[in-house]
């Protein structure tokens, strides 16, 4: 089973000085990702994270961690 989890905030630039941000820590998304790794041992997990969220670590290498900066990055990642 392939599972995609997104977590953490992103920052969108309005111009060179201002931006809109979501300051989500990503803790809930990280907990969800870890749950799937424990409960679904055959899963392939893609963990997309931004802001202050941490990468999802798995000693078996079942996690693809993708760091994003903004919604354009997110759209590009989930579109592929």
């Amino acid at each position: 089973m392939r599972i995609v989890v997104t977590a953490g905030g992103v920052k969108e630039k309005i111009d060179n000085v201002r931006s809109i941000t979501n300051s989500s820590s990503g803790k809930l998304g990280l907990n969800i990702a870890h749950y799937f790794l424990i409960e679904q041992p055959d899963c392939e997990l893609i963990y997309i994270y931004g802001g202050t969220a941490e990468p999802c670590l798995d000693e078996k290498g079942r996690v693809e961690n993708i760091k994003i900066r903004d919604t354009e990055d997110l759209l590009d990642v989930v579109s592929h």
Side-chain angles (χ1 to χ4, degrees):
M1 176 183 350
R2 189 172 215 189
I3 300 165
V4 177
V5 176
T6 63
V10 295
K11 185 176 183 179
E12 286 298 319
K13 290 187 75 155
I14 297 172
D15 56 30
N16 289 335
V17 177
R18 299 172 290 169
S19 62
I20 297 173
T21 186
N22 169 351
S23 59
S24 170
S25 69
K27 289 179 185 176
L28 178 60
L30 187 59
N31 286 337
I32 291 169
H34 283 157
Y35 170 83
F36 277 110
L37 289 172
I38 292 166
E39 297 297 320
Q40 302 290 331
D42 296 330
C43 79
E44 175 189 350
L45 178 66
I46 300 172
Y47 179 69
I48 304 167
Y49 64 104
T52 60
E54 297 291 323
C56 185
L57 303 176
D58 174 40
E59 65 281 350
K60 296 178 184 174
R62 295 177 294 161
V63 182
E64 180 181 352
N65 287 286
I66 302 173
K67 177 81 171 159
I68 60 167
R69 294 176 307 244
D70 53 30
T71 53
E72 187 175 329
D73 283 352
L74 179 59
L75 180 61
D76 185 48
V77 168
V78 296
S79 294
H80 293 93

